[in-house]
Amino acid sequence: MRLDKFLCTALGITRKEAGKILKEKRVEVNGEIVKNGALKITDDCDVEFDGNSLHMTGPKYFMLNKPQGYVCSHVDDFNPTVFVLLDEVSPEKLHVAGRLDADTTGLVLLTDDGQWSHRITSPRHVCEKVYYVETADPIPASAINEFAEGVQLRGEKELTRPAKLEILEECAALITISEGKYHQVKRMFAAIGNKVVALHREQVGAVVLDENLEPGEYRPLTEEEIASF
């Protein structure tokens, strides 16, 4: 993480204020005065402000607007991972609460709080997710009832849970599901003879993707967003 961002988070100050205290030579890293806010710091760095040690405490919670082509794992042989988009100390300690496929875009939640993410991903908890989907062929009105009743996915013994489908245009819709089977939305449309050509997650539970986040950008969750799970 950049030193100035670390100072903003640890001290609850603005980037401008962080730059000011750096210029005033009030910050030391590993015993040396540092004025460069772009300095990258890691967990083993000892950061002091006016002689007092600073630490990042407590669990972390973020939302990311995932771009296409990134995977939601720490290591992949073919694609970049979402974790390279994070300017955080020890991003390897974070994990994704509800993965997206490499070609799916939109809302990704990241945290180091295992119990919190379990409440999002566990089948025992009903957590709705809203996706915007574009298809190769027109979506028939009959799909609304088919999805509401549950569809039979290839290789699955049980029907999907009831899903809400809102057709927006001939080949575009919003779909709300409350489970997370492998490639579920794509497989649901395949089950009715259609193909998903674009998929974007807009919402998880009560948390809606921040419209101010460009693809690849992220921000901490608010207290209200964290407490909604």
Side-chain angles (χ1 to χ4, degrees):
M1 178 188 284
R2 285 173 55 108
L3 175 59
D4 51 6
K5 185 172 183 180
F6 174 86
L7 293 173
C8 291
T9 304
L11 297 173
I13 59 178
T14 65
R15 185 67 67 92
K16 183 177 180 180
E17 291 169 332
K20 184 173 184 293
I21 64 173
L22 285 166
K23 289 182 180 179
E24 293 172 348
K25 301 181 179 180
R26 300 167 66 184
V27 177
E28 293 186 8
V29 178
N30 297 332
E32 295 185 3
I33 293 174
V34 176
K35 296 191 293 181
N36 180 14
L39 177 72
K40 293 287 185 178
I41 61 170
T42 58
D43 269 348
D44 57 358
C45 290
D46 179 21
V47 182
E48 294 187 356
F49 168 61
D50 285 347
N52 299 308
S53 293
L54 299 179
H55 304 281
M56 298 285 281
T57 60
K60 301 175 183 178
Y61 309 88
F62 303 102
M63 72 159 62
L64 166 73
N65 186 357
K66 177 187 168 304
Q68 193 170 35
Y70 286 77
V71 295
C72 292
S73 60
H74 282 283
V75 180
D76 189 90
D77 293 333
F78 304 102
N79 302 98
T81 81
V82 294
F83 297 96
V84 303
L85 301 170
L86 307 179
D87 180 21
E88 299 296 323
V89 173
S90 301
E92 70 277 1
K93 294 183 179 180
L94 298 170
H95 61 269
V96 172
R99 296 185 174 190
L100 291 180
D101 302 333
D103 60 351
T104 301
T105 61
L107 177 60
V108 167
L109 300 176
L110 305 108
T111 184
D112 54 5
D113 184 341
Q115 291 185 342
W116 184 82
S117 62
H118 180 73
R119 293 196 291 273
I120 298 172
T121 60
S122 172
R124 294 184 179 181
H125 296 86
V126 178
C127 180
E128 292 188 334
K129 300 106 175 168
V130 181
Y131 295 82
Y132 169 78
V133 57
E134 294 181 358
T135 58
D137 301 312
I139 305 168
S142 59
I144 296 175
N145 287 333
E146 289 185 76
F147 282 12
E149 294 173 358
V151 298
Q152 185 70 56
L153 302 182
R154 185 176 181 180
E156 300 282 347
K157 293 182 179 180
E158 299 180 356
L159 299 179
T160 60
R161 289 179 183 172
K164 178 184 177 183
L165 182 68
E166 179 186 351
I167 299 175
L168 303 176
E169 298 177 11
E170 189 178 53
C171 295
L174 290 177
I175 180 172
T176 303
I177 62 175
S178 58
E179 54 191 339
K181 296 181 183 295
Y182 180 70
H183 289 176
Q184 181 168 337
V185 175
K186 296 176 183 177
R187 292 167 69 197
M188 288 178 72
F189 278 92
I192 63 169
N194 209 334
K195 181 181 179 180
V196 172
V197 296
L199 191 60
H200 179 84
R201 187 158 67 191
E202 297 188 345
Q203 184 172 344
V204 175
V207 178
V208 179
L209 179 62
D210 192 328
E211 62 182 12
N212 294 316
L213 291 178
E214 295 293 332
E217 293 183 341
Y218 73 104
R219 69 160 173 80
L221 294 184
T222 65
E223 292 295 329
E224 183 178 3
E225 289 169 337
I226 295 169
S228 68
F229 295 104

